[in-house]
Amino acid sequence: MDEIDNESPQSLGGKKRAENLSAGQRHEIASRAAKVRWAEASTLPKATHIGSLKIGNSDIPCAVLSDGTRLLTQAGFLGALGRSTKPKGKSQVATDGLPPFLATKSIIPLITREIFDATVPISFVTSSGGKAHGYRADLLPMVCDLFLEARSQGLLTAQQAQIAEKSEVLMRALAKVGIVALVDEATGFQQERDRDELHRLLSVYLSEERLAWAKRFPDEFYKQIYRLKGWAWPVGKGKTPLLGHITNDVVYERLPTGVIEKLRELNPTVEETKRRKHKHHQFLSAEVGQPDLRDHILQIIPIMKISKDWNAFKRHLDVAFPKVGTQFDMLPEQ
């Protein structure tokens, strides 16, 4: 029996009508259908970052959406659990509102509201403009934990026992790293997330307007620098211009990441004098930045006092307040 014999009368009738349509009519119908699809897609979140997440022996396609949702594609999620990656029906939801791999009476009592809510598939637009479905990334460890608990209670069927074995492998792989962090790294969203966090930090750490000058560095700070360097403490105000470089090194460059770069932008060097017109601390916010500066200075002065010379001080300082990317030896002083 050939394929057409298996078609319903309605299907055959539809094909017959389609054959009788003019080219213009077919184009109009296709255009209307496309508009419907585009209207639906315009309301869906878009995948801004995509990647493939390797957990154990599984490679799971993943994405970060425009609304910040981290998800695993539906096919990847099912494949990681050892299920078919081509579920029947686009929503993969059973009559009880659960995906088939969870819709078993024996394990339903173990399903929390959190798991139930997370099993709703999320539709999104891919980077190529197509429509796809996925699950929240944090559903995976919850499902794995559920199957391991059900196995311990002897509630699983033979097929579900295979899911429990997969779950054990996945949970071991996830033991040291959170699923959200893994997705961020796999998709490249981590760098953008870090930039957003830096922007939020700088918005509260720095002042939008330059504040009036006030004495922020106690004389003891400078006296200790002179002692550690073996310099004679000057009488009057004739301090060495090297103090600017030293202060950047031991103070400003050890404040939160990004602060010193932004300070240099807000307080640039004047070309004619090769000096800065203002003090960096005048651009730190009164609520967050300046208190943090004060605390940092108060913490490094005791380190200065216990150090016999500048090299010893720098070793102690690098341990207590390392710069980003600094590597140092933990060897005791000779």
Side-chain angles (χ1 to χ4, degrees):
M1 185 178 293
D2 58 22
E3 183 179 354
I4 195 169
D5 289 336
N6 291 325
E7 297 186 44
S8 67
Q10 293 84 353
S11 176
L12 292 173
K15 284 192 172 183
K16 188 65 176 177
R17 287 190 296 273
E19 291 171 357
N20 293 331
L21 293 173
S22 67
Q25 289 172 321
R26 287 196 295 270
H27 176 77
E28 177 63 23
I29 291 173
S31 177
R32 287 201 300 267
K35 289 179 180 178
V36 170
R37 290 195 300 272
W38 277 109
E40 180 185 14
S42 66
T43 64
L44 298 177
K46 295 177 174 57
T48 59
H49 299 74
I50 58 174
S52 183
L53 180 61
K54 186 171 182 61
I55 307 178
N57 295 324
S58 300
D59 284 304
I60 311 174
C62 55
V64 177
L65 305 185
S66 54
D67 60 4
T69 300
R70 281 82 160 174
L71 59 75
L72 309 177
T73 64
Q74 194 175 70
F77 187 97
L78 296 174
L81 294 175
R83 302 282 295 186
S84 171
T85 59
K86 297 180 179 180
K88 296 180 180 179
K90 65 180 181 179
S91 64
Q92 179 65 5
V93 176
T95 55
D96 291 328
L98 290 167
F101 61 89
L102 289 181
T104 303
K105 290 183 179 179
S106 61
I107 65 173
I108 284 179
L110 300 179
I111 297 176
T112 64
R113 185 71 201 184
E114 184 180 17
I115 294 176
F116 183 85
D117 291 342
T119 57
V120 178
I122 298 172
S123 299
F124 66 99
V125 178
T126 66
S127 57
S128 61
K131 183 179 176 182
H133 308 280
Y135 291 118
R136 276 174 37 195
D138 54 0
L139 175 63
L140 182 61
M142 288 192 287
V143 168
C144 290
D145 190 56
L146 171 69
F147 275 96
L148 293 177
E149 176 61 24
R151 184 177 66 178
S152 71
Q153 297 187 27
L155 303 177
L156 300 182
T157 64
Q159 185 179 20
Q160 290 173 329
Q162 297 176 5
I163 298 179
E165 292 177 4
K166 287 279 190 179
S167 297
E168 186 172 3
V169 173
L170 291 170
M171 288 298 280
R172 287 176 178 173
L174 290 169
K176 294 183 179 179
V177 185
I179 184 68
V180 168
L182 283 173
V183 172
D184 288 358
E185 181 179 359
T187 61
F189 183 67
Q190 179 179 349
Q191 294 180 351
E192 185 165 323
R193 181 197 64 198
D194 291 344
R195 287 196 296 270
D196 289 342
E197 291 177 352
L198 173 60
H199 177 75
R200 287 193 293 271
L201 167 66
L202 295 182
S203 68
V204 298
Y205 203 94
L206 300 175
S207 174
E208 293 184 3
E209 297 182 359
R210 176 175 54 85
L211 303 181
W213 182 90
K215 187 179 179 67
R216 302 294 176 187
F217 289 78
D219 288 341
E220 185 64 24
F221 171 78
Y222 297 114
K223 288 180 179 179
Q224 288 297 327
I225 290 177
Y226 272 75
R227 179 185 69 82
L228 294 168
K229 286 287 190 178
W231 300 337
W233 177 249
V235 177
K237 298 181 179 180
K239 298 186 181 71
T240 172
L242 292 176
L243 284 177
H245 298 289
I246 293 172
T247 302
N248 283 337
D249 178 22
V250 304
V251 177
Y252 289 113
E253 292 177 9
R254 296 169 197 269
L255 296 180
T257 302
V259 169
I260 182 61
E261 289 80 8
K262 191 64 178 179
L263 287 174
R264 286 168 176 158
E265 178 183 330
L266 295 171
N267 188 30
T269 301
V270 178
E271 182 64 28
E272 293 78 10
T273 63
K274 305 300 181 182
R275 299 174 68 89
R276 302 183 193 278
K277 188 175 180 180
H278 308 289
K279 300 296 185 182
H280 276 340
H281 60 71
Q282 291 179 261
F283 295 89
L284 298 178
S285 66
E287 298 81 10
V288 178
Q290 292 193 0
D292 194 46
L293 173 70
R294 178 199 62 214
D295 292 344
H296 180 77
I297 295 170
L298 292 178
Q299 290 178 84
I300 67 174
I301 287 177
I303 299 176
M304 290 174 156
K305 290 182 176 181
I306 66 169
S307 303
K308 63 182 180 180
D309 55 33
W310 186 255
N311 289 335
F313 164 65
K314 285 299 296 294
R315 285 197 299 270
H316 294 145
L317 184 67
D318 285 340
V319 173
F321 300 101
K323 296 181 183 179
V324 176
T326 297
Q327 296 183 353
F328 52 87
D329 294 328
M330 293 294 289
L331 298 174
E333 290 185 55
Q334 299 298 321

